[in-house]
């Protein structure tokens, strides 16, 4: 399930569950449709946390859209600097194609990922939140609900 929440000016993707990678074909299809709709609505700045396979799917789809719409920007939002140094070659390849990379700290700490997710939520006007289950009790979704009180579309 992907939940769409409206915020301020950019689009971010947040995913609460690695189990989504097991159904990556389904996720890819749903995300592709959501991203095409966002571009159609005029969104062109996309924020990605690069936190696992689902985020890499999101980044790859945005980069594919960028070929058709060169005005699209992909920004990597990494919780700490070392993350990009210890990543796999496909991950590094996606990062290399980003227009911007933002690091939230130099070294990991217990709250670095949550801090990154909050920053992404506060900077976006459209949040695509993918849930591994109907419950959605993860920190990310709870914060999305606390930050904004209205869902616009359930996909």
């Amino acid at each position: 399930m992907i939940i769409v929440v409206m915020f301020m000016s950019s689009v971010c993707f947040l995913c609460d569950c690695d189990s989504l990678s097991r159904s990556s074909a389904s996720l890819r299809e749903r995300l592709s449709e959501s991203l095409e709709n966002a571009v159609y609505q005029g969104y062109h700045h996309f924020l990605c946390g690069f936190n696992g396979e689902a985020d890499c799917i999101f980044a790859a789809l945005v980069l594919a859209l960028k070929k058709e719409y060169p005005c699209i920007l992909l920004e990597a939002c990494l919780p700490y600097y070392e993350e990009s140094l210890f990543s796999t070659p496909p991950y590094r390849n996606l990062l290399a194609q980003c227009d911007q990379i933002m690091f939230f700290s130099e070294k990991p700490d217990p709250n670095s990922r949550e801090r990154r997710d909050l920053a992404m939520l506060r900077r976006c006007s459209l949040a695509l939140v993918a849930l591994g289950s109907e419950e959605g009790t993860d920190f990310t979704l709870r914060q999305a609900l606390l930050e904004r009180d209205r869902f616009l579309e359930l996909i």
Side-chain angles (χ1 to χ4, degrees):
M1 166 176 33
I2 295 179
I3 298 174
V4 179
V5 185
M6 288 300 287
F7 297 175
M8 284 179 246
S9 70
S10 299
V11 176
C12 76
F13 175 67
L14 300 167
C15 181
D16 78 339
C17 186
D18 286 335
S19 68
L20 286 173
S21 63
R22 285 184 234 133
S23 61
S24 61
S26 173
L27 176 64
R28 182 179 299 274
E29 186 178 306
R30 291 178 290 153
L31 266 177
S32 181
E33 184 178 323
S34 294
L35 288 170
E36 287 178 23
N37 288 337
V39 171
Y40 179 75
Q41 293 173 25
Y43 293 98
H44 66 276
H45 186 199
F46 296 86
L47 307 172
C48 183
F50 281 90
N51 188 32
E53 186 178 343
D55 283 310
C56 289
I57 291 170
F58 173 82
L61 289 170
V62 170
L63 290 169
L65 279 172
K66 186 175 176 138
K67 291 176 183 172
E68 189 175 342
Y69 303 98
C71 64
I72 287 177
L73 300 173
L74 177 59
E75 181 176 349
C77 299
L78 304 178
Y80 46 87
Y81 183 74
E82 289 90 354
E83 185 160 340
S84 66
L85 300 176
F86 302 108
S87 58
T88 63
Y91 184 90
R92 279 195 306 267
N93 183 38
L94 288 171
L95 279 176
Q97 295 180 67
C98 289
D99 298 290
Q100 300 172 331
I101 299 177
M102 176 182 283
F103 296 99
F104 289 88
S105 67
E106 288 185 29
K107 297 186 179 193
D109 67 62
N111 299 315
S112 57
R113 291 184 188 280
E114 291 177 359
R115 193 168 46 252
R116 183 260 328 265
D117 287 353
L118 281 174
M120 288 173 56
L121 282 171
R122 290 179 178 143
R123 292 180 59 207
C124 72
S125 50
L126 178 65
L128 303 177
V129 182
L131 303 173
S133 68
E134 296 290 328
E135 298 165 6
T137 57
D138 181 77
F139 169 84
T140 299
L141 181 57
R142 288 193 310 268
Q143 290 305 311
L145 290 169
L146 289 173
E147 293 287 323
R148 307 289 181 231
D149 60 359
R150 190 174 126 216
F151 287 101
L152 294 183
E153 187 176 349
L154 178 63
I155 298 173

